[in-house]
Structures are given as C-alpha cells and as structure tokens.
Amino acid sequence: MLALHLVAPGPVGLDTWGFGLLMASLGLGGLIGALLAGRLAARVGELRLLTLSCALMAADSVALALTTQIWVIAVGLVVGSAAAAVFGVMAITALQRATPDSHLSRVSAGNQLIMMSGTALGGIAAGALGEVTGDLRVGFAVAAVLLLALTSMRAAIPAAPPVSLTRTGSVDGGRWSRG
C-alpha cells in the first residue's frame, strides 16, 4: 500500500529512484533506533520507553496521512522506523527475560506468528479501506489512531512491580520461580 501511495501515479508521485531513497530512510531510522535502544532504556526506563516508542511509531502514519511533502514523509519514516526498532528491541528483551529457557522457542514462535499476522491483516484492512473510500491515506490515518489509542491504554495501566525470575536446581533441570 505504501508503494501505491508514494510512487506515480499515486498522490506523492515519486519515481523509482525517489521511492528507493525514501525507503532508505526506513533503514536509517531502524539503525538509529537499534543503536540507541539500550541507552534510552537505561535513561528513561524500559516501560516508559516502550510506551513512548509506541506513540512515536505513529509518526510515519501521521505524515503519510496528512501530507505529500517528501521531506515531511521522510522525517516521519525515520522517526517511525527508529521507534519501531526501539519497540522491537525492548519487547523482545522483555519476552526473553520473562520466559523460561525451556519455553523460549515456542513463545518466540508464537510472538512472531502474532506479529506477522497482525502486519498482514493490517495491510489487508488498510488496502480495503483505501479501496472503499478511494483514498489510501485513510488506512494511514486509522493506523495512527490505533497506535495512539494503544499508547493511551498502556499509559493508563499502572506499572506492575518488577518481577525477578530466578532459577532453582541444576542448570539442565532447573525450575523457574518468582523471586
């Protein structure tokens, strides 16, 4: 859907060279986010960073929904992809910390299934919205609203006390207990 919006005859009207450069901004943002995730988590805290990154992931959707100005879209894509990288690092780290070794592969596979299925279903829904309304920007606007609603819900839930998982018993047959 993004390509239909950005490449001519879409509203932004990029040629293939311009589209390639704009897609590079996604990679740049992802690299920046991945490099800064650990330092940002140490500075602001993991839960706050997850919440903030969720809000900032809406930046690219907002830019794509509201403007055809290439530089605004590029900045939105850099910010959104940096936030997505931070969110990914923090979410996977939390998942790995909270999951016993014996279950990690299954939990990780389930997480990947849910994430990839959500991406595919979101793309289908956004394309259908674009088809029904005749405007591809509607899908981007809905994505931004959903991300901001998720952020608001997360911010409204009080933080749980930290859970420390400690291993008891031998390394091979150890059991996990909440410590």
Side-chain angles (χ1 to χ4, degrees), residues 58 61-62 138-152:
S61 297
V62 169
V138 173
F140 297 120
V142 169
V145 168
L146 291 173
L147 282 166
L148 294 174
L150 180 62
T151 302
S152 298

Side-chain angles (χ1 to χ4, degrees), residues 81-168:
S81 62
V86 168
F87 185 88
V89 168
M90 302 315 304
I92 295 300
T93 300
L95 181 90
Q96 290 173 343
R97 279 192 194 138
T99 305
D101 290 344
S102 61
H103 292 79
L104 190 56
S105 62
R106 287 175 285 211
V107 171
S108 294
N111 179 61
Q112 281 294 93
L113 176 67
I114 291 167
M115 297 301 288
M116 293 300 142
S117 298
T119 300
L121 292 174
I124 291 168
L129 277 172
E131 182 68 28
V132 167
T133 63
D135 189 351
L136 291 174
R137 295 176 301 165
V138 173
F140 297 120
V142 169
V145 168
L146 291 173
L147 282 166
L148 294 174
L150 180 62
T151 302
S152 298
M153 288 188 292
R154 176 40 239 135
I157 299 170
V163 173
S164 171
L165 294 175
T166 56
R167 191 178 283 251
T168 59

Side-chain angles (χ1 to χ4, degrees), residues 13-126:
L14 293 175
D15 61 13
T16 54
W17 178 252
F19 180 72
L21 288 175
L22 198 58
M23 291 300 95
S25 67
L26 288 169
L28 176 64
L31 183 61
I32 291 168
L35 290 172
L36 294 178
R39 283 179 251 170
L40 290 171
R43 179 169 283 179
V44 301
E46 292 177 2
L47 189 57
R48 264 196 207 127
L49 185 57
L50 273 169
T51 305
L52 178 63
S53 64
C54 189
L56 290 175
M57 282 192 290
D60 55 3
S61 297
V62 169
L64 288 162
L66 298 180
T67 187
T68 58
Q69 295 296 315
I70 195 67
W71 296 109
V72 175
I73 292 171
V75 169
L77 290 175
V78 168
V79 170
S81 62
V86 168
F87 185 88
V89 168
M90 302 315 304
I92 295 300
T93 300
L95 181 90
Q96 290 173 343
R97 279 192 194 138
T99 305
D101 290 344
S102 61
H103 292 79
L104 190 56
S105 62
R106 287 175 285 211
V107 171
S108 294
N111 179 61
Q112 281 294 93
L113 176 67
I114 291 167
M115 297 301 288
M116 293 300 142
S117 298
T119 300
L121 292 174
I124 291 168

